[in-house]
Amino acid sequence: MTPIYDFEAASPPVLTETILRARAEEKKLRRQTALVTLAAVLTQVCLVVLGLVLYPVQPQAALACFIYLCLSTAGGGVVALTYTRKRRFLLS
């Protein structure tokens, strides 16, 4: 019977403490990024609710909430695009 897999054809990747620490740091950074994103979304939801509650009583304050909401959302989008794009002009 011929074997299907040749387990000795390639050696497994070498794992070092540096690689494992880098992976743990990336995982920690992803978790922190998710928490900051969640906090930003919750803040935006609170601004929408505040604007809707204030509209019958203080339309100017509600308008200020909605303007701030638009500006902060646009700013967050610009920051997200800036940090997710790869830098094209790296210093050599």
Side-chain angles (χ1 to χ4, degrees), residues 60-73:
Q60 292 86 9
L63 182 64
C65 282
F66 292 132
I67 289 172
Y68 180 74
L69 175 73
C70 292
L71 290 175
S72 66
T73 302

Side-chain angles (χ1 to χ4, degrees), residues 16 23 30 37 62 66-67 75-76 79 81 83:
T16 62
R23 286 184 185 172
R30 271 191 246 123
T37 304
F66 292 132
I67 289 172
V79 168
L81 285 175
Y83 283 111

Side-chain angles (χ1 to χ4, degrees), residues 15-34:
L15 286 178
T16 62
E17 182 180 359
T18 307
I19 294 172
L20 292 175
R21 285 187 188 274
R23 286 184 185 172
E25 188 67 30
E26 288 175 9
K27 185 177 180 181
K28 181 180 174 184
L29 182 63
R30 271 191 246 123
R31 186 178 310 126
Q32 289 173 347
T33 304

Side-chain angles (χ1 to χ4, degrees), residues 1 10 13 25 33 40 43 45 48 57 92:
M1 184 167 148
E25 188 67 30
T33 304
T43 302
V45 169
V48 169
V57 181
S92 298

